[in-house]
Amino acid sequence: MSLLFKNGKILNVFTESLENGDVLIQNDRIIGVGQFDESCADEVVDLEDRVIAPGFIDGHIHIESTMLTPPEFAKAVLPHGTVRVIADPHEIANVCGTDGIRFMLDVSKKLPFHVNVMLPSCVPATSFDESGAVLEAEDLLPLYSEKGVLGLAEVMNYPGVIADDNKLLKKISDAKERGLCVDGHAPLLAGKDLDKYIAAGINSDHECSNLDEAMEKLKKGLWIMIREGTSAKNLESLLPIFDHPYCSRACLVTDDRHCADLISEGHIDNIVRKAVRSGKNPVIACKMASFNAAQCFNLAGTGAIAPSYKADLIIFDSFIDVKIKDVYVDGKLAVKNGQIYNFPKIEVDSEYVKKVYDTVHLENVSKKDFMIESEQVKSKCRVIKVIKGQLLTEEQIMELDFSSNNGIDLKNDVLKIAVIERHHNTGHKGLGFIHGMNLKKGALASTVSHDSHNLIVAGTNEEDMAVAANEAIRIGGGLIYACDGKVVETLPLPVAGLMSGKSASETAVLNEKLRKKLYESGVPKELEPFMNMAFISLPVIPHIKMTVHGLIDVDSQKLVSLFVQN
């Protein structure tokens, strides 16, 4: 089957310009660019002077964080011009181990959409985590032969690399020996420690939150992944990276993005649109969103409009507004006039399906389980401070009154936070306080808590915390908001306690209803409450986090007491 696109403006990633011309496709490949007679193709599409560009690639994403299974995720992002993602399934791997990885691989195989996979490097992220599985280097070896696997995913345990953790270094060397990529994760890492981390074999980093950090890493050879997710929004700080010469070593990623944002704002097109509105060159932004990502992961013949390249293409209705009309994947129409076209029914018949359900193994909790004992009526405590637009948190020392509300102080925006182990019913839990969410009533609970995905609960009182937690247990995982002793809103996530199994539109509606209730309860709209809460338990992002064993100082990788001695 041959297809000819006539009368278009071709986005040339090699010359970084728009050029008049035609594009000829044979099956799934581009076989010619220039001027062609209509008789040379079975089908002709008149672009009417529209821009045709290579399809967008998300260079680093956790599909599970969208709360959608791969088929529903594909249907959500294809209309936004995304034709390929480089996925790290470490969320489901932390819950279900290699069964979870194979589930994601299996359900992605039949999609009219490209899903490449990086194998999770840190399951769990650190020894302080208690996850549903532990993956060693030997567990990953059989998976390297799976189609679509490109390398080793973000090496989150950067303290382990610096400390010469042999088990972690073995995972890195296994990937490098196969000529594969190794993604990084090194927030605020600099100087000699950064040198040692890169020297271990790391190729990229998506955790840059300021320009100085990004420039040092770029100058030392790392690919810089500019991230704009639901909670972590780094684009504005990193806009100068869109200029020469830096743009040649950068690509665009979402990392963790809720389905409600995919539906309402977009995906990689949203990042391109924001960059263009900030005055950046749209051609360069599109190149960073396509060709650069392909180059980062050694995907030959991908990400450009040129002979021999894959026919993964987007046609803009408005190039300046980054409004997409049609999308082609492997030379076949996948999106027509902004709508999904001819998407096949995907039968999920993987043998691993039954292994990703029933993953919440936890007894019901009560108000007493959230009470904190203090030797003094008023005690100085370490409080986790949330930073808007960042996954970074700060330690804030506050004097809390335990004579009433057990340390909760709504006047000063101090809520209680708990992380409860949910995989093996060990009974382990960490209790503490959080500042910056501004919730005025009720409590929220979630089985999405990075990366071990234990049950995390935050609230204004212990009664509602127990109600929300028990509902999450009852439904087998999900996001819950409870208030005045009742469940108010629920988003069930029965697939590993991470994904809904429903359509993108249905899931997005529930996602928005939860947000609306929480915003009505005082949470500022600059925060996505569930996403921000989910990262409070990730002990590889500075500076202080909550685990099932209690507070951890991420910088020193040591557990610290909730109470500060006078």
Side-chain angles (χ1 to χ4, degrees), residues 15 17 32 85 115 151 241 283 309 337 351 362 409 463 515 555 565:
T15 63
S17 63
V85 294
V115 178
I241 301 292
V283 174
Y309 277 74
N337 293 322
E351 64 180 288
L362 183 62
D409 184 354
E463 291 90 346
R515 286 180 180 177
D555 302 321
Q565 300 299 320

Side-chain angles (χ1 to χ4, degrees), residues 491-527:
L491 199 175
L493 302 174
V495 184
L498 304 173
M499 294 173 281
S500 78
K502 294 183 180 295
S503 71
S505 58
E506 289 175 293
T507 307
V509 167
L510 294 175
N511 193 183
E512 281 291 358
K513 287 176 70 176
L514 272 166
R515 286 180 180 177
K516 183 178 179 181
K517 286 294 182 182
L518 288 164
Y519 293 147
E520 290 172 354
S521 302
V523 176
K525 291 188 177 181
E526 295 83 0
L527 291 180

Side-chain angles (χ1 to χ4, degrees), residues 236-479:
E236 185 176 352
S237 298
L238 303 181
L239 278 170
I241 301 292
F242 281 80
D243 300 329
H244 282 292
Y246 317 114
C247 60
S248 64
R249 290 289 291 180
C251 58
L252 309 181
V253 308
T254 59
D255 197 4
D256 299 282
R257 190 161 176 82
H258 274 174
C259 58
D261 299 319
L262 292 177
I263 299 298
S264 64
E265 297 178 354
H267 189 220
I268 295 298
D269 62 323
N270 179 58
I271 309 179
V272 174
R273 192 177 302 113
K274 286 183 175 182
V276 173
R277 288 175 180 171
S278 296
K280 298 306 176 184
N281 185 325
V283 174
I284 290 177
C286 286
K287 178 180 177 179
M288 292 167 68
S290 54
F291 184 71
N292 283 15
Q295 292 293 293
C296 178
F297 290 97
N298 300 320
L299 288 168
T302 299
I305 298 180
S308 84
Y309 277 74
K310 287 190 70 67
D312 298 331
L313 305 166
I314 53 180
I315 298 168
F316 290 94
D317 212 7
S318 171
F319 183 54
I320 295 301
D321 295 328
V322 196
K323 184 178 179 181
I324 294 161
K325 181 180 183 290
D326 301 328
V327 179
Y328 289 79
V329 179
D330 287 335
K332 297 177 182 177
L333 186 62
V335 172
K336 183 178 182 179
N337 293 322
Q339 301 297 317
I340 286 291
Y341 179 80
N342 203 28
F343 196 93
K345 184 178 180 180
I346 306 297
E347 296 291 341
V348 182
D349 54 1
S350 167
E351 64 180 288
Y352 301 98
V353 170
K354 60 181 179 294
K355 298 180 181 180
V356 298
Y357 285 84
D358 187 24
T359 61
V360 180
H361 307 130
L362 183 62
E363 302 294 331
N364 274 3
V365 297
S366 68
K367 170 183 176 179
K368 293 188 298 183
D369 292 305
F370 297 102
M371 301 301 290
I372 296 173
E373 293 185 7
S374 174
E375 295 179 357
Q376 301 177 25
V377 173
K378 292 186 177 181
S379 297
K380 287 185 177 180
C381 294
R382 292 180 171 89
V383 177
I384 301 171
K385 181 180 178 181
V386 175
I387 302 173
K388 294 176 184 177
Q390 301 289 348
L391 303 184
L392 302 170
T393 52
E394 294 178 352
E395 176 183 289
Q396 186 166 348
I397 307 300
M398 301 180 72
E399 186 172 78
L400 303 181
D401 187 348
F402 283 81
S403 64
S404 62
N405 301 322
N406 197 232
I408 294 171
D409 184 354
L410 298 188
K411 183 178 179 181
N412 291 304
D413 187 21
V414 177
L415 309 181
K416 190 166 283 184
I417 186 88
V419 180
I420 307 170
E421 196 278 329
R422 66 112 159 167
H423 303 289
H424 306 292
N425 198 24
T426 63
H428 297 153
K429 68 174 182 285
L431 295 173
F433 300 94
I434 184 171
H435 169 74
M437 292 187 69
N438 210 43
L439 184 70
K440 298 302 183 186
K441 56 183 180 179
L444 47 162
S446 173
T447 50
V448 179
S449 60
H450 298 280
D451 277 337
S452 288
H453 298 294
N454 289 301
L455 178 61
I456 189 166
V457 192
T460 62
N461 65 85
E462 294 82 5
E463 291 90 346
D464 286 337
M465 291 176 74
V467 171
N470 288 334
E471 180 67 4
I473 295 167
R474 186 188 73 80
I475 65 175
L479 312 183

Side-chain angles (χ1 to χ4, degrees), residues 53-112:
F56 294 150
I57 301 171
D58 189 334
H60 176 71
I61 188 173
H62 309 287
I63 293 175
E64 307 96 303
S65 288
T66 68
M67 299 182 288
L68 303 173
T69 56
E72 289 303 320
F73 169 74
K75 286 189 276 187
V77 299
L78 272 167
H80 296 286
T82 304
V83 298
R84 182 184 299 270
V85 294
I86 315 300
D88 172 8
H90 77 204
E91 316 299 355
I92 197 168
N94 268 279
V95 179
C96 305
T98 55
D99 288 340
I101 299 172
R102 290 192 180 279
F103 168 79
M104 297 297 280
L105 286 167
D106 280 3
V107 298
S108 299
K109 286 176 180 176
K110 298 178 183 179
L111 298 177

